[in-house]
Amino acid sequence: GWAQKRLPELLVGLQAAIPTTEGHASITEVKKVTGEAAMNTRKGNKRFAVFDLGLTLAWEGELGVVEVQKVKGEMTLKEFSSMNDEDEYLFNVTAEGKGAAKDKMKKMLQTAMWEPLLEKLRVFVDEMAKM
């Protein structure tokens, strides 16, 4: 449906808010969208968006500037629902493999990707409400 098409358009290429001196990371793919999204109409033609979605996103990045280490992994977003407030969404970042660089990037992304992701999710919700 519309959500499966629109979410990749909004999210793929999204950059994390990491200082350039530390490295960079971005979302490379929307691997999975689960749940449903629909428009409902109530009395008086009042329309509203109803959604309960889960997302699995792939990310890739590089940590460091001189000694660059490539890092990649997944992000999951659960409880992305019209019934929940933003602080109830469950966001988790994982990195492939082990090591200090992977742990550092994972920890950075937990916060550095959250705000940019939230901004795009707000766009999604606004667009859906206007359909």
Side-chain angles (χ1 to χ4, degrees), residues 2 4-5 14-15 27 31-32 40 43-44 46 52 60 68 70 74-75 78 80 97 99 101 103 107 117 120:
W2 179 80
Q4 274 81 357
K5 184 175 176 286
L14 184 64
Q15 298 282 325
I27 294 173
K31 295 177 85 169
K32 191 163 67 174
N40 285 342
K43 300 183 256 189
K46 183 170 168 53
D52 186 0
E60 288 182 12
V68 175
K70 290 191 181 296
E74 283 187 352
M75 299 173 184
K78 296 179 181 159
F80 177 43
D103 290 344
K107 191 172 182 187
L117 181 62
K120 294 296 185 182

Side-chain angles (χ1 to χ4, degrees), residues 61-78:
E62 292 181 344
L63 192 64
V65 182
V66 180
E67 287 189 31
V68 175
Q69 295 191 35
K70 290 191 181 296
V71 191
K72 62 183 182 174
E74 283 187 352
M75 299 173 184
T76 56
L77 178 67
K78 296 179 181 159

Side-chain angles (χ1 to χ4, degrees), residues 102-119:
K102 290 164 179 50
D103 290 344
K104 184 175 180 181
M105 182 62 94
K106 184 172 77 169
K107 191 172 182 187
M108 269 199 303
L109 285 179
Q110 192 71 42
T111 53
M113 188 57 94
W114 180 236
E115 275 305 318
L117 181 62
L118 214 44
E119 283 178 31

Side-chain angles (χ1 to χ4, degrees), residues 9-130:
E9 290 171 355
L10 285 170
L11 301 179
V12 172
L14 184 64
Q15 298 282 325
I18 297 173
T20 51
T21 53
E22 304 247 356
H24 64 89
S26 64
I27 294 173
T28 56
E29 179 188 4
V30 175
K31 295 177 85 169
K32 191 163 67 174
V33 178
T34 58
E36 30 190 277
M39 288 302 300
N40 285 342
T41 307
R42 280 220 179 121
K43 300 183 256 189
N45 286 341
K46 183 170 168 53
R47 294 170 53 81
F48 58 98
V50 177
F51 58 92
D52 186 0
L53 299 170
L55 306 175
T56 303
L57 311 168
W59 65 268
E60 288 182 12
E62 292 181 344
L63 192 64
V65 182
V66 180
E67 287 189 31
V68 175
Q69 295 191 35
K70 290 191 181 296
V71 191
K72 62 183 182 174
E74 283 187 352
M75 299 173 184
T76 56
L77 178 67
K78 296 179 181 159
E79 304 298 328
F80 177 43
S81 167
S82 51
M83 304 302 270
N84 289 344
D85 293 329
E86 290 176 352
D87 62 0
E88 294 176 281
Y89 301 166
L90 301 177
F91 180 62
N92 189 44
V93 179
T94 60
E96 288 181 10
K98 299 228 180 297
K102 290 164 179 50
D103 290 344
K104 184 175 180 181
M105 182 62 94
K106 184 172 77 169
K107 191 172 182 187
M108 269 199 303
L109 285 179
Q110 192 71 42
T111 53
M113 188 57 94
W114 180 236
E115 275 305 318
L117 181 62
L118 214 44
E119 283 178 31
K120 294 296 185 182
L121 295 175
R122 289 177 190 134
V123 169
F124 173 83
V125 171
D126 287 346
E127 287 178 355
M128 195 173 164
K130 291 174 184 159

